[in-house]
Amino acid sequence: MPSPLFADRPAQPPEPGAVDALISQTRRLRGEVDAVRRDAVADEDDPQQRWQRALCDLAVHQLDDLGAQLGQLRAGVPVEVPPGTESGGQGLHDAGFTTGPGTAYGAAAPARTGALLSRVGSAEWNLLTDEVSWSEELYQIFGRTRESGPMSLDEMPTMVFAEDQPLLQGMVTDCLIDGKPIDGEFRIVRTDGRVRTVHMTGEPVLDADGCTASMWAVLRDVSELRRSQRAVRESRAGLERSREIERTERRVAVELQEAVLPPWRGSLHFAHDGPAPLDVAAHYLPAASTGLIGGDWYDALALPDGDALLTVGDLTGHGVAATSSMAMLLGALRGMAVAGIRPAALMGHLNQLLETSVQPALGSAMCCRYDPVAQTLTWAQAGHPAPLLFRDGTGRALRRPEGVLLGATAGAVYDETETRLLPGDLLVLHTDGLTRGGGADDDTGAARLLALGPRLAGARDAREGVRTVVEEFGEESREDDACVMVVRVGR
């Protein structure tokens, strides 16, 4: 009865626990085979004993390969199955291991080995009679016809890669002269031009005087296995390069964002003191899933005429491209606001700038201009959530003026609206990544934000208000990054 390790099974992804069990079973079987190999030393001159030892050596190599592939499987690396070694094979014969009458030793092969063995052949070179015996499979490995006959030890290097010839000659010389066992690999070029990698194991057979009378060897075609291992190494190297690129991109994006977004150190002061100064604080929340910095921004700026600029926005994408586009847009917004351009016209200019950018993107934005003397907030938006106004512990969204996404259409016209603020009022400006739910009509996030009214009313300053919002939303696994700004009108 076949071992469960080699039993035919339907192709399906193995569970991690099953892979660990297979690894343990392979190690245990490898130890048992190794013990049998050590015991197979009864009669060095008996071909049956030599063949048994060769089979044990081959099984140990195969189990080592299997253990390595199972380790790759456990690590999540795809493992290629060499052609002709799929589950359901019919033993050594189907795997290319041909033995029996007319082969080197005439020993019967085991009945079944399943998917473990690749193509394997055997050979013996008699140094006294110059006779050479090859198994049928060895002709197939070397692409040689039966009529051509087996190759002598002197002929074999003619099919071997030039750089591998010294390795083969060294192994053969050490075996014939010093009686050392053979265990190594070399590449051959068959008569049909195909390149194969061959693993060779063997030992000398000594005569009564202790001189080498013949040499036997088992040769295994390991081309597909080595190709698979190279592919795994290249995949790992490529994965590491990708990870390094991602780490570099994230570092650059973070540094760029930190250089652009303003650090908050307390209340925002204006050039001309008004009756109701603003206390401003903000916070950026990165996306939990991607780990990349996005194109969200916030800003507050004292303008030359005594007004204040308040803005938040969000560009599509992540990484350096999105962050650099955000820096460009925010720089243009600051410059136009300082030049006195009103919010609605400013949105139109930003739309044109984004539409003609070398890195096309879509964005949502909100631009507010606060007059501390008249205590009025004039604002426009481009596909962005409205500011939330909290007064006496109750919150509501301000009515949104018309405005499409930035970069969505050429020549877009934006409206603006005006809202009067009172001392003690608190505004929450945010990007949609903060409150976005699982569906387009899911407004549970906005409802949760409005429900923070009593807690926000009790906040000592804007910074404490930001902490309140972050405590409510900061630990969530958002698919997109977000930012929040809290603005408190002084009394």
Side-chain angles (χ1 to χ4, degrees), residues 46-56 92 97-100 103-110 120-123 135 216-218:
D46 184 358
Q48 179 69 28
Q49 292 295 328
R50 294 203 304 270
W51 186 245
Q52 182 179 356
R53 289 186 60 193
L55 287 175
C56 289
L92 286 172
F97 201 151
T98 307
T99 55
T103 62
Y105 305 113
V120 181
S122 59
S135 69
W216 62 267
V218 173

Side-chain angles (χ1 to χ4, degrees), residues 27-223:
R27 290 173 179 170
R28 186 163 55 250
L29 184 59
R30 201 263 192 207
E32 294 172 357
V33 173
D34 197 38
V36 173
R37 180 178 60 174
R38 290 195 301 269
D39 292 340
V41 293
D43 188 354
E44 289 289 340
D45 296 327
D46 184 358
Q48 179 69 28
Q49 292 295 328
R50 294 203 304 270
W51 186 245
Q52 182 179 356
R53 289 186 60 193
L55 287 175
C56 289
D57 288 338
L58 179 62
V60 167
H61 281 294
Q62 295 282 9
L63 289 169
D64 287 342
D65 291 340
L66 177 62
Q69 290 182 334
L70 288 173
Q72 296 168 12
L73 188 61
R74 181 173 59 181
V77 179
V79 179
E80 296 185 25
V81 180
T85 63
E86 294 84 356
S87 180
Q90 300 300 313
L92 286 172
H93 182 79
D94 285 358
F97 201 151
T98 307
T99 55
T103 62
Y105 305 113
R112 185 176 181 85
T113 59
L116 274 183
L117 291 178
S118 55
R119 297 167 63 182
V120 181
S122 59
E124 183 172 17
W125 293 271
N126 192 310
L127 304 183
L128 303 179
T129 64
D130 290 332
E131 293 180 336
V132 182
S133 298
W134 271 22
S135 69
E136 197 68 38
E137 181 59 22
L138 206 52
Y139 288 96
Q140 298 181 30
I141 293 176
F142 279 80
R144 191 175 176 87
T145 63
R146 198 74 169 82
E147 291 73 20
S148 301
M151 288 191 297
S152 66
L153 290 175
D154 292 333
E155 293 176 309
M156 279 189 63
T158 62
M159 297 188 66
V160 177
F161 267 49
E163 53 265 39
D164 291 353
Q165 289 178 9
L167 172 64
L168 175 62
Q169 292 170 347
M171 290 192 301
V172 171
T173 300
D174 289 344
C175 180
L176 299 180
I177 303 301
D178 300 326
K180 295 181 180 179
I182 292 176
D183 190 348
E185 289 184 8
F186 52 87
R187 293 163 296 171
I188 63 172
V189 181
R190 295 166 25 130
T191 55
D192 58 7
R194 297 173 61 188
V195 176
R196 312 300 293 173
T197 301
V198 177
H199 183 232
M200 182 177 181
T201 57
E203 289 186 1
V205 179
L206 307 181
D207 59 17
D209 298 327
C211 298
T212 302
S214 64
M215 188 185 81
W216 62 267
V218 173
L219 296 96
R220 180 168 59 118
D221 186 344
V222 294
S223 305

Side-chain angles (χ1 to χ4, degrees), residues 394-407:
T394 302
R396 65 180 177 88
L398 298 181
R399 182 183 63 83
R400 288 202 319 169
E402 293 295 324
V404 299
L405 285 171
L406 298 177

Side-chain angles (χ1 to χ4, degrees), residues 216-235:
W216 62 267
V218 173
L219 296 96
R220 180 168 59 118
D221 186 344
V222 294
S223 305
E224 281 76 17
L225 176 61
R226 297 300 176 250
R227 180 169 57 84
S228 175
Q229 291 172 338
R230 285 195 300 271
V232 169
R233 289 194 298 269
E234 292 170 359
S235 297

